[in-house]
Amino acid sequence: MAAHTMDDAQNNQENGKVSPSRGQEQSFMRERIRQLELLLREETARRERADAAVRESESDFRTLFNNVPVGLYRNTPGDRGKFIMANPAIIAMFGFESESEFLATSVADIYANPEKRKQFSAKLSATGRVIVEPLKLRKKNGELFWGAVTANAVRDEQGAIKFFDGIIEDITDRVRAREELERYKANLEQAVFERTAELMRANRELQSEIAERKRMQKRLGELSESIISLQEQERANLSRELHDELGQQLTALRLEFDAMKKQAPELAARGFAESLSGMVERITEELRRICKGLRPSVLDDLGLCAAIGALTRDVENRTGLALDIDLAPISEHIVPPRVAIHVYRVLQESLNNIVKHSHADRAAVRLEQRGEKLVLTVEDNGRGMDAARAESGGFGIIGMARRAELCHGRIALEPNAPHGVRVTLEIPLDPDSAPD
Ligand SMILES: Nc1ncnc2c1ncn2[C@@H]1O[C@H](COP(=O)(O)OP(=O)(O)OP(=O)(O)O)[C@@H](O)[C@H]1O
Ligand SMILES: [Mg+2]
């Protein structure tokens, strides 16, 4: 804007130019005043707008301050501290009736332990900021609760702390929930600890029970081994006694009857002596058979294959069961006598069972060496054996299993396709595992 003054007009005259008239001067002044008024109005309108903006932002701040659901405050630093500002949420949080009542309370008094205020003020002054610090606080009615405080130290231009601005959130529920969780965890850990200890105790007891059972089983094994070998010895003794004592006497008796037969004058007496002699002959024959069964002397004298041959022949003759015998050549010296008697007895019991239970008319017996094993197989074509019958309370199968164990071997009784039962006895011939 071009602004001309009286001095300018004067100067123009002095510079030899023509001076403006009075009328011109007045109109110039009026124009100048009008321009100044315009400027003033613009300035006033700008100020009013700025005031309105300030009022509006103050009102926004107030609304926010009053409605925000966390406690907002401003207080002064120091051991006791004094509240300068507090929003309705913080006043309600601490159970005060009004802002003025709250502002009258010193900051230290809203701590559960007022001493803590001193520490908090010192820490905030030193660091300039604390973030979500849990503090135990006290309401107006004395009730304690947990608050999380986040605060800033506000400084003046010289750097001195003017006040603390902060927010408080009531975290009592969260703290309780965490305490509850900690308690629950501790209880759980205790329960797990106790249960583990209990399990370890039970495990120890179980281990010692297992060890005891193993000891008992071993003892039982030793016992049954000695029973079986005693039984074999007794059978051998009995067989010898019967043969030597009773056999001798029966022979003497038969000789007596033979003599009587020759000397008897009457025909009847001679016939009677003859029938008595025949009877003694049959008794002697039966006694021999019993002695053989008690202790197959052929086993000791001629070995396992010969003993099996004699046994199977005897069964065939006595029972009419047709037997296929397949004895592969086995070097007898690798089958120790203690093993041989068990193989013999297993075959004997298998044949007894076939005769007693199977209704078979044929059976096959095979003895062979497979690698380091001696294998006995007995198969029949009878009606087969179901589990119920296998558990019928007899001792034959149990005895066979025990004998297999004593030789470190194993025995299996299985169905024999298409009919009957197959008994397989396997005994290691390894000199280390085969007992002698
Ligand atoms: N070859 C077989 N065929 C059919 N059933 C069999 C045969 N061998 C055994 N069994 C069945 O298994 C059962 C058990 O046999 P095990 O030899 O243990 O006892 P047992 O012969 O009945 O009596 P024990 O042998 O004590 O005189 C028999 O009662 C029988 O029912
Ligand atoms: Mg039997």
Side-chain angles (χ1 to χ4, degrees):
M1 176 179 59
H4 301 279
T5 62
M6 292 285 287
D7 293 340
D8 291 338
Q10 196 80 48
N11 286 343
N12 284 345
Q13 204 172 21
E14 280 164 13
N15 291 339
K17 290 179 190 161
V18 183
S19 300
S21 69
R22 198 144 194 90
Q24 273 177 321
E25 249 174 48
Q26 276 172 354
S27 100
F28 176 77
M29 287 302 285
R30 266 199 304 278
E31 175 57 20
R32 184 88 179 105
I33 287 164
R34 200 186 60 77
Q35 282 172 352
L36 282 173
E37 275 174 356
L38 213 62
L39 263 178
L40 197 65
R41 262 206 303 280
E42 272 174 15
E43 182 59 22
T44 309
R46 202 183 56 76
R47 277 231 176 139
E48 274 170 1
R49 274 200 308 278
D51 284 352
V54 168
R55 274 198 306 279
E56 195 176 330
S57 106
E58 260 180 7
S59 152
D60 282 351
F61 166 75
R62 267 288 147 204
T63 312
L64 183 70
F65 190 72
N66 289 339
N67 294 340
V68 77
V70 291
L72 299 179
Y73 68 84
R74 168 171 285 181
N75 62 30
T76 56
D79 293 355
R80 303 272 318 147
K82 193 174 156 9
F83 281 109
I84 301 165
M85 285 172 75
N87 75 341
I90 196 170
I91 295 164
M93 193 185 295
F94 282 89
F96 284 87
E97 306 295 331
S98 66
E99 186 182 6
S100 56
E101 189 185 27
F102 185 73
L103 296 183
T105 312
S106 75
V107 181
D109 290 339
I110 62 146
Y111 280 70
N113 172 9
E115 278 298 301
K116 292 269 175 186
R117 162 65 189 180
K118 207 193 282 186
Q119 293 168 15
F120 183 84
S121 176
K123 181 177 172 184
L124 184 50
S125 304
T127 59
R129 161 170 289 194
V130 291
I131 294 169
V132 197
E133 171 128 348
L135 291 176
K136 202 163 193 185
L137 303 168
R138 182 190 302 279
K139 292 188 182 180
K140 181 186 163 190
N141 64 5
E143 191 187 318
L144 301 179
F145 72 102
W146 281 95
V149 179
T150 296
N152 254 346
V154 181
R155 296 173 187 276
D156 62 17
E157 273 144 23
Q158 282 72 46
I161 294 174
K162 285 199 293 184
F163 32 70
F164 297 151
D165 283 348
I167 62 175
I168 302 184
E169 203 183 348
D170 185 344
I171 56 163
T172 310
D173 287 349
R174 253 183 276 165
V175 171
R176 289 221 179 104
R178 204 176 43 225
E179 282 171 358
E180 188 63 26
L181 203 68
E182 292 292 327
R183 243 194 325 277
Y184 180 74
K185 215 171 99 189
N187 286 347
L188 204 69
E189 270 167 12
Q190 180 65 17
V192 168
F193 176 77
E194 282 169 12
R195 188 84 188 101
T196 309
E198 204 176 292
L199 281 176
M200 278 165 76
R201 210 169 31 246
N203 191 36
R204 270 198 303 276
E205 280 170 16
L206 203 68
Q207 291 300 330
S208 79
E209 212 169 284
I210 288 170
E212 179 62 17
R213 218 168 253 206
K214 273 190 184 153
R215 265 198 302 279
M216 292 292 290
Q217 258 168 9
K218 190 163 174 270
R219 185 88 196 88
L220 215 63
E222 288 162 2
L223 217 64
S224 71
E225 182 172 5
S226 68
I227 285 171
I228 286 177
S229 69
L230 271 176
Q231 193 188 36
E232 289 298 342
Q233 265 173 33
E234 270 312 295
R235 280 176 173 176
N237 288 344
L238 198 62
S239 165
R240 224 176 6 256
E241 291 286 309
L242 284 175
H243 179 267
D244 294 355
E245 289 298 317
L246 216 60
Q248 298 285 333
Q249 287 185 32
L250 281 173
T251 310
L253 201 62
R254 225 191 84 201
L255 291 175
E256 289 288 317
F257 285 134
D258 285 351
M260 222 178 110
K261 217 167 41 183
K262 282 186 195 136
Q263 287 163 18
E266 301 142 41
L267 210 62
R270 209 179 292 166
F272 183 58
E274 197 159 334
S275 102
L276 282 178
S277 167
M279 209 182 286
V280 171
E281 174 94 49
R282 284 194 298 281
I283 293 173
T284 308
E285 195 49 43
E286 182 65 7
L287 180 69
R288 216 172 279 139
R289 201 185 62 75
I290 291 171
C291 286
K292 237 194 279 169
L294 283 172
R295 179 69 199 180
S297 56
V298 61
L299 188 64
D300 302 326
D301 301 338
L302 299 174
L304 184 58
C305 288
I308 289 175
L311 174 65
T312 50
R313 263 192 312 278
D314 182 50
V315 170
E316 273 185 315
N317 291 338
R318 266 191 310 115
T319 65
L321 179 73
L323 291 174
D324 299 329
I325 313 297
D326 180 4
L327 305 177
I330 289 170
S331 37
E332 295 280 345
H333 69 273
I334 62 160
V335 186
R338 272 183 61 194
V339 171
I341 185 67
H342 293 310
V343 176
Y344 181 87
R345 293 291 185 210
V346 167
L347 173 62
Q348 197 175 34
E349 176 58 20
S350 301
L351 293 175
N352 276 347
N353 279 349
I354 292 172
V355 172
K356 265 164 58 180
H357 308 296
S358 74
H359 298 180
D361 61 358
R362 294 199 76 82
V365 175
R366 193 164 60 246
L367 182 73
E368 61 192 321
Q369 187 176 344
R370 278 192 218 152
E372 298 295 295
K373 283 183 193 155
L374 182 68
V375 182
L376 171 73
T377 321
V378 186
E379 295 170 337
D380 68 64
N381 67 348
R383 61 182 176 166
M385 176 179 65
D386 57 42
R389 275 188 288 133
E391 288 165 7
S392 67
F395 290 104
I397 293 175
I398 298 172
M400 289 199 284
R402 194 68 206 112
R403 286 180 189 275
E405 258 176 56
L406 291 175
C407 302
H408 303 297
R410 58 176 210 96
I411 191 161
L413 282 90
E414 303 153 305
N416 181 40
H419 306 289
V421 172
R422 179 170 57 241
V423 178
T424 312
L425 172 71
E426 289 182 356
I427 294 175
L429 288 172
D430 183 346
D432 294 339
S433 58
D436 191 5

